[in-house]
Amino acid sequence: MARSPPPRRPPELMEELVEEILLRLPPDEPAYLVRAALVCKLWCRIFSDCNFRRRFREFHRSPPLLGYINKPCFDSDGKAPRIVPTTSTASIPFFSLPVLKHWWAVDSRHGRVLIISYQEPHIEPVRLIVWDPITGSQKHLTVPDYPHTVKTGAVLCAVDGCNHLDCHGGPFRVVSVSAEYVEGVRLTWVNVYTSETCQWSAPTYIRIDSHVVKTPSLLMGDALYFLLQFGMHILRYDLSKHALSLIGTPRLREPVTVEDGDGGFC
């Protein structure tokens, strides 16, 4: 009995088409990219090309969530802040900070985390730490000379026109929000630290009768928004004008500031 001829190999796709297909792999699980790179030399070459990686980030726009901070509050057992991975890729090199006795993670943006370190709980902070959990780099900042009672803050990329898809290692800014009583009046102050000059700006202030709460700020355009205690107001800080203002709220219990799908504030 004659043997049937072996099946013909399917025609190979052009490299440009393979690249377009690989470009659409979901970014939420980095293990998919590693496994795809091991399929053949062609795929490995495509993934190794820096232009492909740039196109991959631009195509998917929003960076994937790779992990979260295990305890963003006061820590009394002497453990270091660390990132808990949310993917099955165990080889992601998340780097922990040195052990901090008491700390509070107040913000995370553009690949960095802002942490306030305290000597003892509920007293004045001793330093601010800007931490990149992917590269392990960290910058320890002394709190502003005045006012030094930092309540919360924000960290953000300082590169004009950056798409924030790969900001690691670039210049950054830290916005500290403090509160002081001056002659019986409660004032809220904002200072800005710039990594390029390694200096804090002169403070700007506004009179507020309630506290700024330790919740992540919202960055929209060239302004940061912070919630005040009991949701009575929202504090707006204009980064370009270095000016503070208040936005009234409908007095909702525990409101949250978010950006809607059209880039608006709600």
Side-chain angles (χ1 to χ4, degrees):
M1 183 177 180
R3 294 182 178 180
S4 58
R8 293 183 179 180
R9 293 182 59 183
E12 293 186 1
L13 292 174
M14 293 185 297
E15 184 171 336
E16 293 80 3
L17 294 179
V18 174
E19 182 173 331
E20 290 299 321
I21 294 172
L22 297 179
L23 196 64
R24 286 157 174 78
L25 285 175
D28 298 331
E29 179 52 76
Y32 296 158
L33 307 181
V34 177
R35 293 166 185 163
L38 299 175
V39 170
C40 63
K41 292 182 179 180
L42 171 61
W43 289 23
C44 183
R45 185 172 70 249
I46 292 175
F47 280 112
S48 302
D49 186 82
C50 60
N51 290 327
F52 175 82
R53 296 197 298 272
R54 175 185 55 79
R55 288 190 63 204
F56 188 82
R57 291 191 296 267
E58 293 176 350
F59 181 82
H60 293 284
R61 298 300 302 168
S62 299
L65 175 66
L66 299 181
Y68 61 90
I69 299 177
N70 67 324
K71 193 176 182 185
C73 57
F74 286 119
D75 193 348
S76 59
D77 51 10
K79 292 182 179 180
R82 64 187 181 89
I83 295 288
V84 178
T86 56
T87 71
S88 62
T89 309
S91 60
I92 297 177
F94 288 130
F95 294 93
S96 294
L97 281 168
V99 172
L100 302 174
K101 189 174 183 181
H102 305 288
W103 56 273
W104 194 291
V106 294
D107 194 36
S108 176
R109 185 180 289 109
H110 302 158
R112 299 177 179 91
V113 180
L114 179 63
I115 292 174
I116 302 179
S117 175
Y118 297 82
Q119 199 78 326
E120 296 294 337
H122 309 294
I123 66 171
E124 295 176 0
V126 294
R127 64 176 182 246
L128 298 170
I129 303 173
V130 178
W131 171 40
D132 186 332
I134 298 292
T135 65
S137 66
Q138 51 189 277
K139 179 73 172 178
H140 292 240
L141 314 177
T142 57
V143 297
D145 293 335
Y146 183 83
H148 52 270
T149 53
V150 179
K151 299 299 183 182
T152 187
V155 59
L156 59 153
C157 172
V159 179
D160 293 334
C162 181
N163 58 14
H164 308 307
L165 297 179
D166 190 11
C167 296
H168 299 289
F172 61 87
R173 284 182 287 180
V174 172
V175 177
S176 75
V177 183
S178 311
E180 292 276 2
Y181 275 106
V182 179
E183 298 180 354
V185 177
R186 176 185 290 278
L187 300 178
T188 294
W189 307 72
V190 166
N191 301 67
V192 180
Y193 176 90
T194 304
S195 65
E196 294 173 294
T197 62
C198 297
Q199 292 181 345
W200 288 97
S201 70
T204 184
Y205 65 90
I206 190 172
R207 179 174 176 174
I208 301 177
D209 294 329
S210 57
H211 300 279
V212 177
V213 296
K214 288 185 174 70
T215 56
S217 60
L218 175 66
L219 174 65
M220 285 188 57
D222 209 22
L224 284 164
Y225 298 85
F226 300 88
L227 278 174
L228 300 184
Q229 192 178 30
F230 307 125
M232 296 178 65
H233 291 90
I234 296 171
L235 178 66
R236 182 182 187 272
Y237 173 64
D238 191 309
L239 290 159
S240 60
K241 298 180 181 178
H242 194 39
L244 291 166
S245 59
L246 290 178
I247 299 174
T249 67
R251 304 287 179 101
L252 298 175
R253 182 175 178 83
E254 298 181 358
V256 177
T257 55
V258 296
E259 183 177 356
D260 65 23
D262 298 324
F265 179 78
C266 62

